[in-house]
Amino acid sequence: MRNKRWSVVAVVLGGVVALGCGGGGGDTGKVTDVSQPKAAASSAAPEKKTVAAMGAEAVTLDGGVVVTVGKPTKFTPSGTSAGHQRGNSAAVFSITIENKGTEPLDLTLANVTASFGAEGTQAEPVFDSEKGITGGFTSTIATGQKRTAKYAFSAPTKDTSVIAVTVEPNALGDSVALFEGKL
């Protein structure tokens, strides 16, 4: 019985390590422009984008999950926030996940990461209950429903010319939505 438990632990840890090391990276979805009305179809084949613009485009993932990330804005965390260091740059944005699939979607498993600047400085999540940043999604949604949550991140860089955001709606790493924006 003990060996079986250790085997399960080893398999779970192996999966976590694989995801953390980029082993997930499957489908990045289909990017669509949500800021402009639909234009007439052109005869040229559209290029396949893998990174969507924050505040302007949506990503449709396998299973009918649609993700949008709002335009980032400068964020000044309160004195009681966690995850922010003095001197860091901080940004806040909203993320909307819509379930157009056929099964309920557990958003408590959603994972959101961010990096700032041309060098891709890893950003830390900021939790600031005083300003309504409380940790993301907390529910399961049925087909046809959508939820929005605010996220804030802080990074030890002044370069906010690129803010890259990765959204994994189910934390399994099989489908990710990639976004970029700037302050």
Side-chain angles (χ1 to χ4, degrees):
M1 186 68 150
R2 264 193 182 157
N3 287 339
K4 286 183 181 179
R5 284 186 197 152
W6 284 111
S7 295
V8 169
V9 169
V11 168
V12 169
L13 286 176
V16 169
V17 169
L19 286 174
C21 295
D27 178 37
T28 57
K30 177 184 174 191
V31 177
T32 56
D33 187 341
V34 295
S35 65
Q36 302 291 326
K38 296 212 184 248
S42 82
S43 60
E47 73 176 66
K48 175 158 168 59
K49 289 182 69 176
T50 57
V51 179
M54 295 172 74
E57 296 175 320
V59 175
T60 302
L61 300 171
D62 286 346
V65 176
V66 180
V67 181
T68 56
V69 176
K71 186 174 189 224
T73 58
K74 184 177 170 81
F75 181 64
T76 303
S78 71
T80 60
S81 69
H84 176 70
Q85 299 294 320
R86 177 178 244 174
N88 283 6
S89 296
V92 63
F93 45 84
S94 60
I95 297 176
T96 301
I97 298 177
E98 183 175 3
N99 184 4
K100 291 185 175 182
T102 59
E103 299 291 325
L105 179 63
D106 184 357
L107 294 181
T108 63
L109 301 176
N111 185 38
V112 177
T113 58
S115 64
F116 288 13
E119 298 296 318
T121 302
Q122 188 63 46
E124 295 295 322
V126 175
F127 301 96
D128 194 341
S129 59
E130 192 174 310
K131 294 198 173 184
I133 312 296
T134 58
F137 297 101
T138 60
S139 64
T140 297
I141 60 174
T143 297
Q145 291 184 336
K146 64 181 169 181
R147 296 288 186 274
T148 300
K150 287 193 323 188
Y151 283 83
F153 285 88
S154 172
T157 182
K158 297 295 180 202
D159 184 2
T160 57
S161 63
V162 177
I163 296 177
V165 176
T166 301
V167 180
E168 295 175 276
N170 65 11
L172 297 176
D174 56 352
S175 291
V176 297
L178 305 174
F179 293 86
E180 283 187 356
K182 64 181 178 177
L183 288 180

